Amino acid sequence: MTFRTRLLLIFTVAVVAAVGVVELLVAGRTREAFERVETQRVSALVAQFQSEFARRGQEIVRAVEGIANSDAAVNIAIATDFAPYLNEAAALAAAHGLDLLELVAGDGAIVSSAEWPARFGYKEDWLVSGGDWNSRGAVLKREELPSGVTLALLAVSEARAGDRKLYVVGGQQLDRKFLATLVLPAGMRVLLYRNLDPRFSPAETIDSIGPVAHAADLRPLIDKVRTERREAVSTLGSGAGAETFHALPLMGYENNLLGVLLFGSSRRELMELEASLLRTGVAVAAAGILVSVALSWWAAARVTRPVLRLAESAGQVAAGNWNTTVEVSSTDEIGRLARAFNGMTHELVAQRERLVQAERVAAWRELARRLAHELKNPLFPLQITVENMQRARESYPEQFDEVFREGTGTLLAELGKLRQIVARFSDFAKMPAPEMQAVNFNSLVGETMKLFQPQLAQARITARIELDPNLGPVQADPEQMTRVLRNLILNATDAMPGGGAVTVRTRALPAGLRLEVSDTGQGLTPEECARLFTPYYTTKTHGTGLGLAIVQSVVSDHNGRISVESEPGKGATFRIELAQGGLG
C-alpha cells in the first residue's frame, strides 16, 4: 500500500470516525431528550386523567347527594309501595346528567333503575354491607347493563326518613366518551382496557372512537399489569411504526383491578429525527471524504514525491549502483533524510571497497590454507616413499627392484589424489554458465534416485520419493541440476552412517517449483546451518568443503534460492526454490 493511499485512508477513517462519534452522541442525546419529553407528556396525561377522574367523581358525588337530599328521594324512602316510582330513576338521571342511576331500598332491593328498569326488586347486597357510603366519594365499579358489562364511576348517598333508608347509586360509564374528554398532544393516544373477564379479551380495549385494532398486540403488557398490579412500559412495533405504551392500573373500591389505562406515544418523530441525523451524518461524511481526498493528494505532493525519489534511489543502491545520490531541496525532515541517505551511500562505497579488499585477502588465505591442508596428506606418503627408495638403493641394492615397484605404485596413487584435489578446486573456480532448457524435475528426480538405489540399499537407507503431479517443466540446466541433486543425496547419505531414510519431494509453486531433500540423520546446529554453504567449510572428517558451495553456486546461477532447516538429532531438510523463467 502506497503512502498516498495510507494518507487517504487515514483522513477518511478520521473523518468517518469523527462523524460517527458525533452522530452517536447526538443520536444518544436526542433519544434521551425524546424519552424525557415522552415521560413528561405521559406524566402530564396521567395527571390530566387523574384530575378529570377526580372532577367527574366530584360532579357525580354532588349529583347523587342532590338527588338523595331531594323530596322525591325522601318520599320514596318512606313509601310502602314502590310501584309508582318504577320510572323515577330515569327522570332523575336525565335531570342530573347521569348515565347510571338506581334507587335502592334499605334492604338492598332495587326500587327503580334508569339503565335497567327490569331489575326492579333485584337485591344489591354490596350496598347494605358497604358501610358509610357518604364519606367514600366516587368509586370505580363493574356494572351490568342490558347490553353487557361496563365500567362505571359511581357514587352512593343515603336518603333517610326516620328509620327508613334509601340508597341513591348514580354515576357515569368509563367509556370512549370519557376518553374523548382528554386533551392529547400530537402523536399520543389513550386506550382503556376494561378488565371484566378473567381471560384477556381484545374487544375490551377501546379508545375515544371505539374498539382498537390489533389490540391483541397489547396482551403481554396488559397481562403484566394484571399480574403485578403496577405501572408498566413496553414498546410495540419497529421503525417509524413503533409505539411506546405506559400502562396504568385502575383499581376498584374492593381493591380489585377493573381496568388498565394505556397511554400510547408514537416513536415516528424520533425515528424521523434519527433518520434525518443519519442523512446529515452521511452527507457530512461524504463531504469529509472528498476533503480528505484533496488533502491526501496535497500531502502526497508535499511529502510523497521526495519520499518516492528516495525510494527510487534506494532501489538503485539495492541493484548495485552504490554511487547513487538524491537532490536535497529542503531543510525539513525530508531534507535531513536525503542528506543522511547521501552520506550513507558514500559510506557504503567506502566500506564496500574495504570489504572487497578484506574478503579478497581472506579468500586467498583460506584458499592457501585449504590447499596446504589437502596437499599435505598426499605429499607425506610421497616423501616417505622416495626416502625408502633411496635407502634401498644405497643399503640394499638386491632389494631395490621390489622396493621400486612398490614405491612407484604408491607414488602413482598419491599423484592421482593430487590430481583429484586440483580438479575439485578447478571445477569450483570455473563453474560453466548454465545452458537453460525445459526440465521435467519429476523425471530428473526419478532417474537420479534409480542410480543411487544400490548405494542407498547397501548403506541401509530407505529412499522415498514424493512427486507433485501438477509440476510442469521449468527452465534449468539438467546436467547442473542433476549434479546438485546428487550432491544433496550424497550429503544426506554421509549424515546417516547407521542407516535411515532420505526423502526427495517436488512441489509446484505459483511461479516455479520447490525441491526438497530430507534425511533422518544427526542434524545440524544453528551455527553449522549458518556456515554450511561457505566454501571450504565442512562438518565431515574427510572433504574439501566445496560440495554445498557448488550447490549454492549452481542454484544462484539459476536465480534460485537454497536454504536448510535442521535441529540436532532431528535430521535436516535442504530446500531449493526455482522460478519458472530460470535466468529469464
Side-chain angles (χ1 to χ4, degrees):
M1 183 183 296
T2 64
F3 181 65
R4 179 176 300 177
T5 305
R6 282 198 292 271
L7 281 177
L8 175 60
L9 288 177
I10 290 172
F11 283 128
T12 302
V13 170
V15 170
V16 173
V19 173
V21 170
V22 172
E23 178 77 15
L24 289 176
L25 290 175
V26 172
R29 294 296 176 84
T30 302
R31 186 176 292 273
E32 291 176 1
F34 184 87
E35 298 293 347
R36 285 196 300 271
V37 171
E38 181 183 3
T39 302
Q40 293 171 0
R41 293 197 300 181
V42 171
S43 299
L45 276 177
V46 171
Q48 182 187 164
F49 170 79
Q50 291 173 341
S51 175
E52 183 66 17
F53 195 82
R55 186 185 67 81
R56 290 289 184 88
Q58 291 173 1
E59 290 180 354
I60 292 171
V61 168
R62 285 196 295 270
V64 170
E65 287 179 348
I67 295 172
N69 295 329
S70 66
D71 293 339
V74 174
N75 292 334
I76 296 172
I78 61 178
T80 57
D81 181 12
F82 296 125
Y85 303 103
L86 181 63
N87 297 319
E88 189 68 21
L92 291 173
H96 290 81
L98 298 175
D99 296 336
L100 311 171
L101 181 63
E102 287 184 340
L103 305 177
V104 182
D107 60 354
I110 296 177
V111 174
S112 178
S113 174
E115 63 269 19
W116 200 346
R119 295 190 67 193
F120 175 79
Y122 277 62
K123 290 287 188 175
E124 295 281 12
D125 296 330
W126 62 277
L127 284 172
V128 178
S129 60
D132 184 12
W133 288 105
N134 290 329
S135 60
R136 282 201 179 183
V139 296
L140 194 63
K141 184 179 182 299
R142 182 177 184 272
E143 190 70 15
E144 294 184 4
L145 300 177
S147 58
V149 183
T150 188
L151 286 183
L153 185 60
L154 300 178
V156 180
S157 186
E158 299 176 1
R160 292 181 178 272
D163 58 347
R164 304 294 296 273
K165 181 190 298 184
L166 179 71
Y167 295 101
V168 180
V169 183
Q172 293 180 345
Q173 295 186 55
L174 200 63
D175 56 7
R176 61 186 183 85
K177 294 180 181 179
F178 178 84
L179 299 179
T181 61
L182 300 177
V183 180
L184 302 176
M188 297 195 72
R189 60 173 176 158
V190 61
L191 311 178
L192 174 64
Y193 175 75
R194 297 174 295 189
N195 190 35
L196 306 175
D197 195 296
R199 295 175 298 178
F200 175 79
S201 176
E204 295 299 333
T205 307
I206 61 172
D207 59 11
S208 60
I209 300 176
V212 176
H214 308 293
D217 296 339
L218 297 168
R219 178 172 185 172
L221 177 61
I222 293 175
D223 284 346
K224 183 176 182 180
V225 176
R226 293 172 69 187
T227 302
E228 300 178 1
R229 299 200 173 191
R230 61 185 179 88
E231 293 185 34
V233 181
S234 178
T235 299
L236 305 180
S238 60
E243 189 173 10
T244 299
F245 285 94
H246 293 255
L248 184 70
L250 300 178
M251 309 303 293
Y253 77 98
E254 294 178 323
N255 200 32
N256 54 331
L257 182 69
L258 295 180
V260 179
L261 195 66
L262 301 109
F263 299 96
S265 176
S266 174
R267 304 183 73 84
R268 181 180 296 276
E269 293 181 7
L270 177 62
M271 296 298 105
E272 291 177 350
L273 182 57
E274 289 183 343
S276 176
L277 290 174
L278 179 60
R279 288 192 297 270
T280 304
V282 171
V284 172
I289 291 173
L290 292 177
V291 172
S292 68
V293 171
L295 287 175
S296 67
W297 281 104
W298 175 82
R302 297 277 298 177
V303 178
T304 60
R305 189 175 294 116
V307 172
L308 288 175
R309 288 200 296 266
L310 278 171
E312 293 173 356
S313 300
Q316 294 179 14
V317 172
N321 185 11
W322 289 16
N323 293 313
T324 302
T325 58
V326 294
E327 180 183 353
V328 180
S329 58
S330 64
T331 59
D332 56 8
E333 291 82 356
I334 301 297
R336 291 199 295 271
L337 179 60
R339 286 191 290 272
F341 179 84
N342 292 337
M344 178 193 69
T345 57
H346 293 321
E347 184 64 24
L348 283 175
V349 171
Q351 288 186 2
R352 181 183 63 174
E353 293 176 354
R354 292 193 295 268
L355 182 61
V356 168
Q357 294 176 2
E359 287 181 347
R360 186 179 296 116
V361 172
W364 280 109
R365 287 178 178 174
E366 182 65 18
L367 178 60
R369 186 187 70 80
R370 292 301 303 176
L371 280 172
H373 176 76
E374 295 295 331
L375 295 176
K376 181 179 179 180
N377 292 331
L379 285 177
F380 182 73
L382 288 175
Q383 180 181 353
I384 296 299
T385 300
V386 172
E387 289 176 353
N388 287 339
M389 291 173 65
Q390 288 177 342
R391 283 194 297 271
R393 181 73 179 85
E394 294 174 358
S395 304
Y396 308 100
E398 68 281 2
Q399 299 177 3
F400 177 74
D401 291 341
E402 182 179 355
V403 173
F404 179 78
R405 285 192 301 272
E406 293 177 358
T408 54
T410 302
L411 290 174
L412 291 174
E414 296 302 325
L415 288 173
K417 293 180 180 179
L418 285 174
R419 282 196 302 272
Q420 185 179 7
I421 293 171
V422 173
R424 290 178 182 175
F425 280 89
S426 178
D427 288 344
F428 181 70
K430 298 186 298 181
M431 287 295 297
E435 298 179 3
M436 309 299 287
Q437 56 182 282
V439 177
N440 187 326
F441 271 79
N442 286 345
S443 300
L444 186 146
V445 170
E447 294 171 0
T448 304
M449 293 300 289
K450 285 182 182 178
L451 294 176
F452 277 93
Q453 194 66 40
Q455 181 179 348
L456 295 175
Q458 185 177 1
R460 301 192 307 279
I461 295 176
T462 303
R464 299 170 183 165
I465 303 176
E466 299 176 4
L467 304 179
D468 188 344
N470 298 321
L471 182 63
V474 177
Q475 293 293 318
D477 186 321
E479 183 177 348
Q480 291 189 9
M481 294 310 300
T482 300
R483 184 177 183 184
V484 166
L485 185 56
R486 288 177 179 176
N487 271 329
L488 293 179
I489 294 174
L490 287 174
N491 190 73
T493 302
D494 293 339
M496 297 181 290
V502 61
T503 304
V504 181
R505 304 181 188 88
T506 61
R507 180 182 176 186
L509 299 179
L513 68 85
R514 177 182 296 160
L515 175 66
E516 292 183 353
V517 178
S518 302
D519 63 63
T520 58
Q522 301 172 354
L524 301 167
T525 64
E527 293 78 10
E528 290 173 336
C529 290
R531 300 185 58 193
L532 201 58
F533 299 105
T534 304
Y536 318 119
Y537 175 79
T538 180
T539 59
K540 305 174 187 177
T541 306
H542 303 287
T544 60
L546 296 177
L548 291 177
I550 291 173
V551 168
Q552 186 184 46
S553 178
V554 171
V555 173
S556 178
D557 288 343
H558 283 71
N559 283 343
R561 186 166 62 105
I562 184 170
S563 59
V564 61
E565 182 179 324
S566 179
E567 292 183 21
K570 296 185 178 180
T573 297
F574 288 84
R575 186 174 294 111
I576 296 174
E577 293 183 359
L578 297 181
Q580 186 70 33
L583 291 174

